[in-house]
Amino acid sequence: MCQFSFFFLGSAQLMFSVTDVVEKTECNKTVILPCHVINLKGNNANVMFVTWKKQGKRIFSFDGARQQFYRDPTVPSANLASLADLPKGIASLMLDGAEAAVGNYSCEVTELNREGETTVELRQRIGSWFLLVEKAIIIALVFLVIILCSAQFSIIALKYEIVPQKKRGIIVAGIIFTAAAVVGTVLFVQDDYNAQNQSGLGLIVLPAVILVPLQYFMFGMVFDSLQQATFALIGLQILGYIIAVVGFALCVSACPPLHGSVVIAGLAIMAIANLLSLAYVFIMGSRMKDRPRPGKAVEEPLNDAKGVMLE
Ligand SMILES: *[C@@H]1O[C@H](CO)[C@@H](O)[C@H](O)[C@H]1NC(C)=O
Ligand SMILES: *[C@@H]1O[C@H](CO)[C@@H](O)[C@H](O)[C@H]1NC(C)=O
């Protein structure tokens, strides 16, 4: 008898495959709250009624007989995850990540005279577009590049005469690049995944293209003719930039970013290229110390030649 009544009670109730907790992060554009009935009999949406409550307050319902939806104004995006799967017992709720506040949601399903309820808790998981450590490395690498570049420029400016116009040009380019990196960093560090973060990373990565001509001009101030090594260093710089931009393109559309390491690799190569360039200018530049500066080296023989020609 006991067994029978248990069976009878069980059959009057709708049973669910229970999920206690679901988590969302900044990356969830849409959130799905699961609700799976496992013992439907009719498998017919016309005899079903679904109600979703948030913290006890009705936010959504679907009346299968009338094919009518109710949505609370706070969750205009709320919908059944799949109306077609409702007859199979799937009454999961889908809503915009932004509208899905954390809390306890309950799903009530009625099929003719049988009904049941299940509760799922929606939690926010701390997680953002990039891991904190990835963000820190990206930002550190960009500022390392800026420091290495400035150091190189300072050495050159101290040792060699530079046409003021060129000097100003390089300083302006450097300031633009630094300003972009600072603004980019401010936008990028926010714990979100939105247009701001994306443009922040863009401002960190994309303007680094300035460094290529900058490096070319700086080498030109030190060496009268550019050697193979300087071209190799500029090539390395370009390679790093291309990798960083490819990484940026891959990251900007994915949350969480699948290829954050590509951006890091690109920026690291750029930093290495800058470090090697700094060392090269420092070592080769001092070897050339005794020789006349490029500017004079060109002028003087020219004057001599003129003198000879006049004679
Ligand atoms: C959030 O997104 C992740 C990854 O796409 C997914 O596994 C998870 O179920 C989503 N969370 C919710 C509540 O929908
Ligand atoms: C949801 O319910 C669980 C268990 O009953 C409780 O521990 C938790 O605090 C509730 N969450 C909210 C946001 O009310």
Side-chain angles (χ1 to χ4, degrees):
M1 286 303 278
C2 264
Q3 262 176 343
F4 177 74
S5 64
F6 175 74
F7 175 70
F8 182 75
L9 218 125
S11 68
Q13 283 286 119
L14 293 180
M15 314 282 272
F16 294 84
S17 137
V18 177
T19 309
D20 291 323
V21 176
V22 288
E23 290 185 322
K24 65 161 188 159
T25 65
E26 298 294 349
C27 292
N28 287 89
K29 284 210 177 75
T30 59
V31 160
I32 291 181
L33 302 171
C35 178
H36 296 178
V37 185
I38 53 176
N39 62 341
L40 278 187
K41 284 228 178 103
N43 297 105
N44 178 358
N46 294 335
V47 297
M48 294 176 73
F49 198 101
V50 178
T51 303
W52 273 93
K53 290 180 179 168
K54 182 186 149 210
Q55 306 283 120
K57 179 179 178 283
R58 182 173 71 133
I59 54 162
F60 173 87
S61 63
F62 173 68
D63 181 346
R66 297 188 196 155
Q67 297 283 312
Q68 266 179 4
F69 291 92
Y70 163 81
R71 289 178 186 89
D72 189 79
T74 58
V75 287
S77 68
N79 212 343
L80 289 174
S82 166
L83 185 56
D85 288 333
L86 183 59
K88 295 178 203 157
I90 298 176
S92 303
L93 187 69
M94 184 165 75
L95 63 170
D96 245 38
E99 294 170 14
V102 295
N104 288 312
Y105 290 78
S106 63
C107 167
E108 287 172 25
V109 179
T110 308
E111 183 194 37
L112 292 174
N113 60 339
R114 302 161 78 224
E115 61 180 7
E117 178 179 340
T118 186
T119 302
V120 58
E121 184 177 1
L122 177 66
R123 285 191 195 151
Q124 174 85 35
R125 187 153 59 86
I126 304 303
S128 53
W129 185 25
F130 277 84
L131 297 176
L132 193 62
V133 63
E134 288 175 322
K135 276 187 183 173
I137 294 173
I138 288 173
I139 292 165
L141 282 173
V142 167
F143 285 95
L144 178 65
V145 164
I146 290 174
I147 291 168
L148 290 171
C149 227
S150 314
Q152 195 185 147
F153 179 64
S154 305
I155 289 177
I156 293 172
L158 285 175
K159 274 196 182 168
Y160 304 90
E161 273 172 22
I162 305 173
V163 187
Q165 223 174 352
K166 268 191 179 174
K167 200 174 188 170
R168 243 178 281 133
I170 289 184
I171 291 175
V172 168
I175 289 174
I176 291 174
F177 178 58
T178 309
V182 168
V183 174
T185 298
V186 170
L187 296 177
F188 181 55
V189 290
Q190 320 277 331
D191 251 350
D192 266 321
Y193 172 60
N194 52 29
Q196 265 189 18
N197 301 93
Q198 290 164 317
S199 43
L201 184 60
L203 280 174
I204 289 174
V205 172
L206 301 180
V209 72
I210 293 178
L211 297 176
V212 175
L214 213 61
Q215 188 61 66
Y216 179 80
F217 285 131
M218 289 202 290
F219 279 145
M221 289 166 183
V222 179
F223 308 107
D224 4 358
S225 64
L226 291 189
Q227 292 114 324
Q228 267 179 342
T230 58
F231 283 116
L233 287 168
I234 290 173
L236 191 62
Q237 184 100 265
I238 294 173
L239 176 72
Y241 180 72
I242 290 171
I243 292 174
V245 169
V246 168
F248 166 70
L250 291 173
C251 284
V252 87
S253 54
C255 183
L258 299 169
H259 301 282
S261 51
V262 179
V263 176
I264 291 175
L267 292 175
I269 292 173
M270 291 191 86
I272 290 168
N274 269 284
L275 182 65
L276 294 177
S277 303
L278 174 64
Y280 192 75
V281 163
F282 192 74
I283 296 163
M284 297 306 282
S286 54
R287 268 197 216 164
M288 294 175 57
K289 196 163 52 183
D290 303 331
R291 292 207 280 146
R293 291 196 184 87
K296 285 177 186 169
V298 178
E299 274 165 30
E300 281 163 9
L302 218 72
N303 287 344
D304 286 354
K306 266 186 208 158
V308 170
M309 273 164 67
L310 282 173
E311 272 167 16

